[in-house]
Amino acid sequence: MIRARRLDALDDSPEAVRRRSPVHHLWYAAYGSNMHLDRLTAYLAGGRPPGGLRSYPGCRDPRVPARTAPIMLSGLLYFATESQVWTGGSAFYDPGAAPARRPDGRPGSAELPSCAYLLTLSQFSDIAAQEMYREPGEDLDLTEAVTRGRSRTGPGRYETLVCPGLLDGYPVLTFTAPWSSQDIAMNPPSAAYLRHIAAGIVASHGWSARRAADYLAGCPGADGHWTATEIAALLTDPA
């Protein structure tokens, strides 16, 4: 197993904010299918990820991430809405949620595994645009997110930016929905989507297939619809 990196707290003092503004480089914390390198490459260089239904134009800067690091985010991973790329529920991050109790009565996880990629501002901005099915090309203003830890760039399902902390002096950012996991109906994810997420966890954190599957089987939306055995089998299924 690979040891996950710990994040430093977000210092919102005027001097600290001045030192990290404007943002030129940042860690993008991927917690869904972008944990899988094939999926992220489709966003960076363009193309269609295996199992996906959509092709992407790619980023203005198609280079691979400068660095990669496994991290754990405090909060809850859940599946809701309907993915136009994978069908089934999309993955969302609720940073303020308490762990949900699993159908078997066991408590869920209070943390979710994430793969952090060190990217440029333009790369992160272009990935965020493609998540919303928009053409890339415009840099996001991250000032509020890296100052207050959260900001909304629009009403869409992936237009709320969350900055849970710093890693090696760079802000860590991800995007999620503006709503809480308590405010939306869950929707089970598809097999192809779960395969990408599980494979990303195994590759970035060094977890066994069974541990990754057990974790995902306990996430709201997947729990009660996918068993750990079924998810683990996806990692050996060539389809």
Side-chain angles (χ1 to χ4, degrees):
M1 186 174 67
I2 303 168
R3 184 181 298 275
R5 299 284 307 279
R6 290 189 175 275
L7 304 187
D8 296 322
L10 189 65
D11 186 348
D12 62 357
S13 67
E15 176 60 23
V17 171
R18 185 192 65 79
R19 287 198 305 268
R20 62 177 182 265
S21 297
V23 175
H24 298 293
H25 291 83
L26 59 108
W27 292 95
Y28 162 43
Y31 57 84
S33 59
N34 281 346
M35 293 186 69
H36 194 291
L37 187 58
D38 286 347
R39 177 67 163 100
L40 184 72
T41 299
Y43 275 145
L44 291 172
R48 178 180 298 188
L53 302 178
R54 183 182 176 89
S55 295
Y56 296 90
C59 294
R60 288 167 284 171
D61 180 353
R63 291 177 297 175
V64 299
R67 291 163 57 193
T68 303
I71 61 173
M72 297 294 289
L73 298 177
S74 176
L76 179 71
L77 177 70
Y78 67 97
F79 298 93
T81 72
E82 179 74 17
S83 173
Q84 297 181 35
V85 178
W86 304 104
T87 72
S90 296
F92 295 101
Y93 168 46
D94 188 342
R101 187 162 293 278
R102 300 163 58 120
D104 59 8
R106 296 159 55 198
S109 175
E111 292 185 306
L112 62 151
S114 170
C115 185
Y117 303 101
L118 187 60
L119 303 176
T120 65
L121 171 61
S122 73
Q123 287 178 312
F124 178 75
S125 300
D126 288 351
I127 289 172
Q130 291 174 88
E131 283 282 12
M132 291 304 301
Y133 311 127
R134 291 198 296 264
E135 286 295 316
E138 184 176 348
D139 287 349
L140 291 169
D141 183 353
L142 303 181
T143 304
E144 183 178 0
V146 302
T147 301
R148 300 183 179 180
R150 190 182 183 101
S151 69
R152 287 184 64 176
T153 63
R157 72 201 187 294
Y158 286 127
E159 291 187 299
T160 295
L161 302 179
V162 177
C163 182
L166 306 173
L167 184 62
D168 297 336
Y170 297 108
V172 177
L173 286 121
T174 193
F175 33 73
T176 188
W179 55 75
S180 163
S181 57
Q182 301 298 312
D183 300 330
I184 187 129
M186 299 294 112
N187 189 25
S190 69
Y193 193 45
L194 276 179
R195 183 185 296 111
H196 269 71
I197 298 175
I201 294 174
V202 170
S204 59
H205 284 259
W207 289 11
S208 67
R210 183 67 192 198
R211 181 179 177 185
D214 189 61
Y215 164 74
L216 290 171
C219 294
D223 60 354
H225 298 275
W226 286 94
T227 67
T229 299
E230 290 169 337
I231 297 174
L234 296 175
L235 293 174
T236 59
D237 183 354

